[in-house]
Amino acid sequence: ATVYDACAAPGGKAIALGRTAGRVIAAERRKSRARRLVTNLERAGSGRGFAVVADAAAPPCRPVDVVLLDAPCLGTGTFARHPDARWRVRVDALDGIVAEQRRMLESVTPVVRNGGLLVYATCSLEPEENERQVETFLDRHPAFRREPGDAISAELLSDAGDLTILPQRHGMDGAFAARLRRAG
């Protein structure tokens, strides 16, 4: 498969994906972070990851098999590990980040080929950034449907089939991910 990682820096997911994918297009919009991405891909990658300087708002590729959007978020799932972060998060920041995530989702949608997957992920615990964001997306894009993966333990899946890791329940950083299949 060809994978487009829309927000790839520093490169951990692109490196992991490169172990099984045919090709990974790893995009980062900031040049300084893209340099770090290149370094990490060269150091630990499989040779199938290719870094590009590009914004998720303007995908640099034609339709691909899998699009990963690990979206910028409030990061509330990492507060246990980064307690100082809770002092940097403002209540009014939620609306802005949700709008940015929605714009990014809209921008990457055209590069998911028919039959392909869109994986939307955050390291946040906020329903507005996660379940509600996915529900809003699915309402606007009836060609997509949830497709839970079978490689994830059922205890980590929500009733809707989304990966939902809660620090207080699972003893690790919180995270969310939804697999969305485009009709073929």
Side-chain angles (χ1 to χ4, degrees), residues 43-87:
R43 179 182 51 78
S46 63
R48 293 187 290 268
F50 303 93
V52 295
V53 176
D55 193 321
C61 57
R62 63 178 192 263
V64 296
D65 304 301
V66 179
V67 172
L68 169 61
L69 177 59
D70 186 0
C73 64
L74 291 180
T76 54
T78 66
F79 279 4
R81 195 166 36 96
H82 301 289
D84 59 312
R86 67 187 66 182
W87 303 116

Side-chain angles (χ1 to χ4, degrees), residues 46 54 122 132 159 173 180 182:
S46 63
T122 74
R132 291 185 199 156
D159 291 342
D173 280 354
L180 308 171
R182 178 178 231 146

Side-chain angles (χ1 to χ4, degrees), residues 102 105-106 109 118 132-142 144 180:
R102 186 171 299 122
L105 269 166
E106 292 298 325
T109 298
L118 169 58
R132 291 185 199 156
Q133 188 73 271
V134 170
E135 290 300 328
T136 300
F137 175 82
L138 291 172
D139 287 346
R140 288 191 319 269
H141 297 279
F144 284 85
L180 308 171

Side-chain angles (χ1 to χ4, degrees), residues 110-149:
V111 297
V112 180
R113 72 164 176 78
N114 288 339
L117 280 174
L118 169 58
V119 179
Y120 172 77
T122 74
C123 60
S124 185
L125 303 175
E126 308 310 310
E128 297 87 346
E129 294 183 83
N130 297 332
E131 300 90 351
R132 291 185 199 156
Q133 188 73 271
V134 170
E135 290 300 328
T136 300
F137 175 82
L138 291 172
D139 287 346
R140 288 191 319 269
H141 297 279
F144 284 85
R145 69 184 185 318
R146 278 187 166 98
E147 183 180 277

